[in-house]
Amino acid sequence: MRTFHRLVVLAAATGLLGTGVARAQMEHEVKAAHLFKFLSYVDWPAAAFEGTRDPFVIGVIDAEEVRASLADIVRGREARGRPVEVRRLESGDATEGVHVLFIGRPASEPLLRLVGRPALLLVTEAEGALDRGAMINLMLVDDRVRFEVAPQVAERSGLHISSRLLVLAQSVRTVAP
Amino acid sequence: MRLPGFLRRSVRRKVTALVVATTLAALLVTALALVSYNVHDYRQSKLAEMRTQAEIIGRASAPALTFADRKEATRGLAMLEARPDVLQAALYAADGTLFASYARDGDSADIPVRWATLGEWIEQDRLDLVSPIVEDGQRLGTILLRARYGLRDRLLAYLVILGTVMAGALGAAVLLSAWLQRAVTEPIQGVADAARRVVDRRDFSVRAGRTTEDEIGMLADAMNRMLADLEREIRERRDAEEALRVVDRRKDEFLATLAHELRNPLAPIRNALHLMQAPGSDARVNAEARAIIDRQVRQMVRLVDDLLEVSRITTGNLALRRERVELRSVAAAALEAVDPIMREHGHRLTVDLPPIGLLIDADPTRLAQVFLNLLNNAAKFTPQGGRIDFSLEVKDGEMIGRVRDNGVGIAADMLDPIFEMFAQADRSLERTTSGLGVGLSLSRKLIELHGGRLEARSAGPNQGAEFTVRIPAAGAAGRDRGDGTAGPRFASSPRLVPARDASPSPLATAATEKKCRVLVVDDNQDFADTLGHMLKSLGHEVRVEHDGLAGLAAARTFRPDIAFLDIGMPGLNGYDLARRLRAFDSTRGVVLIAVTGWGQANDRQRAYDAGFDDHVVKPLEMDRLQSLLGRMG
């Protein structure tokens, strides 16, 4: 069984992320898995791709462990019929061609400038990030990785977040800041 | 087919049973088909429904499985509360471990913690359906739905409906058949009732009512026809039995009469014999005694003749010997015979006969016998000094003979019965007339054998009576051509059937014949000798022999004109003697007369075949003898 599944299943089975280093590692892996699965619940405009086989590109800033896990997960896998590519980005790097941008906690401050950029799903892991323009914010609730969503913000970027995902969200921010 | 007893006894029940059985069978087959289709259909639709439900729940649960959100997954399963038939549900993760569960009654203890096998199971009233949850080609997990199958309830409800419908249909069928079967059973009932009445009351006048045009109607018709036939046959049998009883009674009466009549002459005969045997009886007394004996013996012979006729009639041997006869001679024979009794009663007899030479095809003896009988009756039943008319004529091809008297007459209700055998109009012991009651019956039979009829007419008691004989004479009657060639041998023989003169009194024709040479051959010496004496007394030359051979020899030498031959004789019997005599030239022309005790038709025929010219039955009376010899003239 693939790692991703193992992780999900493990998380589901235990319901907890564990403790210590192992716990931190687990958290990164679960977050990486979430990033991959979000691809299935978000609709990008057709213009976001040049060809039908163009890959999904997930950019990761300031979250090396998550990026590493994600790279493991997407290897040889597809989402919605497209291959998935993971890029390590620095703050200030161009985001052309990137569909999902995960911004690690340390780098969440400079997000505001990215708000409103078309077809880029902004995912963060910092409290209050939705107020600063993030669309999905990962968080820990009772030692589980959960997330909150601001669908209207995403809409403004031309992204549609499936209601099925919203159902699972810890909270849904309905009013734009 | 063997049916239970209560069905065998009534058509109505049979028809009802028939309707109920066929309706029930049809309904059961229909119900069976409906139920089996329903069971199958229910299974299919239930499974399809559950599959859909599993799919829906599976899809809805996919994100929860994806993001390992147990809470959300449990909430998703809880939506099944809207489906009361789903008892339990469970989601299993991709590795087969229980992820979330739902139990309608809150008790999820019996939900397995792991599940790997996919499929559908129906066990008793429980349906288990396990299907995979797949999204984007990824197997996310497995869903288990456990529902109440509900077939039992469904079937129960269905059977209740079916039962109600069947009961209704049966009821309707029975009502309808009860109404319709009246068209079948009522006519049958009618026929059966009629049959039962016939059997119970022996009443064959009962008829079955015909109410339909079908087979039952035909049955009623057939039964009615049979009843009619039966009724008629029973009536006929009753009538026949009654007629037999009447005949039987008449026969008894006849026997009594016969005994009486036969006994009557015996006393005078015995008395006459006493007179003759008495010493010193003179010639006058002897002559008187002989006259008495003669009269009484005649009477007895007549009675015995009647008896013979009765036996001929009853054995069916009454036959005619028809020949062409001259009418007047027949009348003359009868008139001659009746002359004594007419004289005795002092009647005035008027005779109206046709001209001489009228011929008719008839048995002369029998015809004369009929006229004699009618004339005798007229004489007997007319008081002393009466008037009697006898007429004969041929008119329109018919010979009509009438005998009319002014005597006691006949009551209207006796006009027919007097023609019946042994009938006596007057049954009283004191009756003045005698006889066996055979005459009229025999006469009518004889006339009918001639193809004619004999009828009686009378205005009533003491009004006189008239008897009419009618015999068809067409084709046969006519003038004799006189050449002696027409008609059969006896009729054409001038010696036997001479066309008589129209003598003023037919009674005067007897005993005026010429003298003949007569041969008598009979082994009964008394008979032969007395006959010989009688013939001699009439003036003939007589030779008597007592056996056949002697007779033959005598015939050759004696050359008789006429020979009276007995049939049963030693040496040479009568038939053979006759043949021999016919074979010789010298004796060929002798008139041969057979004299026997047997008067049956076949005896006569044998005699004629042997060559006899005539056949007479013993005893041979003087009158008959004279008549035979008279023809020789």
Side-chain angles (χ1 to χ4, degrees):
Chain A
M1 189 176 279
R2 294 179 176 277
T3 316
F4 168 72
H5 290 279
R6 197 164 53 235
L7 289 176
V8 171
V9 166
L10 188 63
T14 59
L16 297 169
L17 292 173
T19 53
V21 177
R23 178 174 164 243
Q25 176 59 31
M26 181 76 80
E27 184 187 331
H28 299 318
E29 288 181 359
V30 171
K31 282 178 177 172
H34 272 62
L35 284 175
F36 176 70
K37 286 307 292 179
F38 286 151
L39 297 177
S40 299
Y41 294 92
V42 178
D43 293 330
W44 272 264
F49 302 93
E50 284 174 13
T52 53
R53 290 295 295 170
D54 280 2
F56 274 117
V57 178
I58 303 175
V60 180
I61 298 175
D62 271 356
E64 186 50 31
E65 296 88 349
V66 171
R67 190 204 59 79
S69 290
L70 187 57
D72 278 351
I73 289 169
V74 303
R75 190 172 301 121
R77 295 172 63 112
E78 292 186 346
R80 293 186 167 188
R82 295 172 188 276
V84 179
E85 194 182 307
V86 179
R87 287 184 197 165
R88 181 170 174 273
L89 295 176
E90 295 297 330
S91 189
D93 282 355
T95 56
E96 307 305 317
V98 177
H99 301 96
V100 178
L101 182 62
F102 179 68
I103 302 166
R105 197 172 292 121
S108 57
E109 284 306 315
L111 279 177
L112 277 175
R113 60 184 175 90
L114 292 171
V115 171
R117 187 192 161 282
L120 180 61
L121 182 67
L122 284 174
V123 183
T124 58
E125 55 175 351
E127 199 172 333
L130 291 187
D131 298 330
R132 295 191 297 277
M135 298 164 187
I136 298 175
N137 183 43
L138 298 177
M139 54 205 278
L140 280 176
V141 180
D142 299 336
D143 277 350
R144 293 182 201 214
V145 176
R146 312 302 286 171
F147 52 85
E148 50 186 0
V149 185
Q152 284 158 338
V153 177
E155 291 287 342
R156 247 180 264 145
S157 293
L159 298 173
H160 176 73
I161 298 174
S162 167
S163 60
R164 301 173 72 204
L165 190 65
L166 299 182
V167 167
L168 300 174
Q170 192 67 23
S171 69
V172 175
R173 182 70 54 91
T174 54
V175 182
Chain B
M1 189 170 71
R2 187 111 180 115
L3 290 171
F6 75 96
L7 279 184
R8 265 178 283 149
R9 276 194 290 277
S10 162
V11 172
R12 179 191 296 275
R13 284 181 187 162
K14 270 182 202 169
V15 172
T16 305
L18 182 85
V19 169
V20 169
T22 49
T23 310
L24 203 61
L27 286 173
L28 281 178
V29 169
T30 310
L32 208 65
L34 278 175
V35 166
S36 60
Y37 171 74
N38 216 259
V39 167
H40 178 76
D41 182 56
Y42 182 75
R43 181 193 164 92
Q44 295 303 316
S45 59
K46 191 76 182 177
L47 282 174
E49 201 181 314
M50 282 300 138
R51 278 186 212 119
T52 309
Q53 191 67 59
E55 183 76 19
I56 289 168
I57 298 294
R59 281 194 194 180
S61 304
L65 275 171
T66 302
F67 295 101
D69 190 336
R70 282 170 190 270
K71 215 173 87 191
E72 185 55 32
T74 305
R75 214 172 64 218
L77 288 181
M79 289 193 293
L80 287 169
E81 278 175 1
R83 291 210 52 146
D85 54 333
V86 177
L87 303 172
Q88 292 174 334
L91 286 171
Y92 295 90
D95 63 351
T97 56
L98 185 64
F99 182 68
S101 68
Y102 159 80
R104 186 166 187 76
D105 56 2
D107 179 16
S108 55
D110 58 340
I111 296 176
V113 292
R114 290 188 67 85
W115 201 286
T117 322
L118 302 179
E120 297 153 356
W121 296 268
I122 295 171
E123 213 171 281
Q124 290 189 335
D125 203 32
R126 205 175 74 175
L127 168 73
D128 280 2
L129 185 138
V130 179
S131 56
I133 300 172
V134 176
E135 195 167 68
D136 255 351
Q138 296 288 327
R139 168 81 180 269
L140 298 180
T142 307
I143 182 166
L144 160 71
L145 281 185
R146 184 167 280 173
R148 212 175 60 236
Y149 189 34
L151 180 63
R152 210 176 300 164
D153 293 348
R154 169 83 173 221
L155 269 185
L156 214 60
Y158 203 74
L159 286 177
V160 167
I161 291 171
L162 268 182
T164 311
V165 168
M166 279 171 73
L170 264 184
V174 168
L175 283 180
L176 199 64
S177 80
W179 180 61
L180 284 177
Q181 74 177 348
R182 282 179 15 211
V184 176
T185 54
E186 272 182 6
I188 292 180
Q189 197 64 44
V191 174
D193 285 348
R196 195 173 302 128
R197 275 206 302 281
V198 169
V199 171
D200 289 350
R201 299 190 213 148
R202 311 287 302 162
D203 178 4
F204 296 98
S205 63
V206 168
R207 293 290 178 272
R210 192 184 200 284
T211 50
T212 56
E213 301 296 316
D214 55 10
E215 291 86 342
I216 297 167
M218 284 163 54
L219 181 68
D221 277 352
M223 195 175 90
N224 286 345
R225 273 203 298 278
M226 283 193 297
L227 282 174
D229 289 350
L230 205 56
E231 193 182 14
R232 200 185 57 243
E233 272 168 27
I234 286 173
R235 197 173 50 234
E236 281 170 1
R237 202 180 63 196
R238 219 171 267 156
D239 291 350
E241 281 169 0
E242 180 58 30
L244 276 180
R245 262 198 298 279
V246 168
V247 167
D248 197 44
R249 201 183 60 228
R250 290 228 183 102
K251 220 163 199 167
D252 290 344
E253 289 167 3
F254 166 73
L255 284 176
T257 309
L258 179 62
H260 180 72
E261 295 284 336
L262 282 176
R263 196 176 159 69
N264 268 349
L266 292 178
I269 289 173
R270 186 187 286 154
N271 291 342
L273 284 173
H274 279 312
L275 281 176
M276 290 170 81
Q277 286 163 349
S281 62
D282 59 14
R284 193 186 54 81
V285 170
N286 277 351
E288 201 172 313
R290 277 198 301 274
I292 289 170
I293 292 172
D294 180 63
R295 268 203 309 281
Q296 297 304 329
V297 168
R298 264 174 211 271
Q299 171 67 7
M300 288 185 80
V301 167
R302 203 166 58 74
L303 288 171
V304 174
D305 280 347
D306 275 359
L307 264 181
L308 282 172
E309 300 287 22
V310 169
S311 95
R312 280 188 198 120
I313 290 175
T314 51
T315 55
N317 279 324
L318 193 63
L320 293 183
R321 198 153 53 81
R322 293 181 90 142
E323 56 190 62
R324 183 151 291 197
V325 296
E326 205 280 323
L327 211 45
R328 273 189 81 121
S329 64
V330 176
L335 287 167
E336 177 188 317
V338 84
D339 187 48
I341 188 172
M342 289 292 175
R343 286 179 199 282
E344 188 185 319
H345 286 85
H347 295 318
R348 188 152 55 85
L349 176 64
T350 314
V351 178
D352 178 12
L353 295 181
I356 196 161
L358 263 183
L359 298 180
I360 183 171
D361 245 1
D363 183 330
T365 317
R366 292 309 196 175
L367 201 50
Q369 186 183 352
V370 170
F371 289 144
L372 176 58
N373 176 254
L374 295 178
L375 287 167
N376 245 324
N377 282 348
K380 277 199 293 185
F381 293 103
T382 301
Q384 199 74 16
R387 182 203 155 101
I388 294 168
D389 299 323
F390 175 52
S391 72
L392 256 188
E393 60 178 328
V394 173
K395 203 167 119 189
D396 301 333
E398 205 177 38
M399 186 219 78
I400 304 169
R402 280 197 186 85
V403 176
R404 187 165 51 223
D405 63 51
N406 61 349
V408 298
I410 305 164
D413 60 345
M414 286 305 289
L415 279 174
D416 274 334
I418 55 169
F419 288 104
E420 285 168 22
M421 186 75 88
F422 313 136
Q424 298 274 6
D426 182 2
R427 298 182 181 285
S428 62
L429 287 171
E430 297 78 21
R431 68 176 193 260
T432 53
T433 57
S434 62
L436 296 174
V438 172
L440 278 177
S441 172
L442 175 64
S443 293
R444 175 171 268 188
K445 206 136 239 162
L446 287 171
I447 295 304
E448 281 168 0
L449 282 173
H450 279 93
R453 16 186 238 289
L454 170 59
E455 283 155 359
R457 261 210 323 244
S458 172
N462 299 319
Q463 303 285 311
E466 180 183 297
F467 287 81
T468 310
V469 174
R470 290 167 195 273
I471 293 177
R479 291 270 166 192
D480 188 0
R481 279 165 293 180
D483 55 10
T485 56
R489 182 152 61 104
F490 302 111
S492 60
S493 162
R495 289 193 299 177
L496 278 173
V497 189
R500 287 182 179 247
D501 296 338
S503 46
S505 165
L507 307 179
T509 55
T512 56
E513 63 286 310
K514 68 161 194 171
K515 303 306 171 201
C516 299
R517 298 161 68 84
V518 183
L519 172 63
V520 175
V521 185
D522 197 318
D523 60 337
N524 182 333
Q525 293 202 6
D526 283 346
F527 179 77
D529 292 345
T530 49
L531 181 55
H533 285 304
M534 281 166 70
L535 288 165
K536 274 179 191 154
S537 70
L538 288 171
H540 300 290
E541 194 176 335
V542 180
R543 174 114 176 233
V544 176
E545 295 295 342
H546 299 303
D547 68 79
L549 290 172
L552 181 60
R556 289 192 183 161
T557 54
F558 179 60
R559 297 293 204 86
D561 297 311
I562 185 165
F564 291 90
L565 308 180
D566 187 19
I567 294 299
M569 286 187 296
L572 191 64
N573 69 38
Y575 298 134
D576 291 339
L577 178 54
R579 284 192 197 93
R580 299 260 184 109
L581 290 174
R582 288 286 182 233
F584 293 109
D585 283 344
S586 57
T587 53
R588 183 167 296 147
V590 180
V591 174
L592 297 178
I593 295 172
V595 185
T596 75
W598 303 103
Q600 302 295 335
N602 51 347
D603 298 322
R604 286 171 177 273
Q605 195 54 51
R606 279 189 73 184
Y608 296 132
D609 290 345
F612 281 100
D613 291 304
D614 209 338
H615 177 280
V616 295
V617 181
K618 288 178 188 173
L620 194 53
E621 293 179 47
M622 190 59 114
D623 289 350
R624 178 77 168 134
L625 193 58
Q626 281 181 322
S627 148
L628 282 169
L629 291 168
R631 293 202 215 160
M632 297 294 298

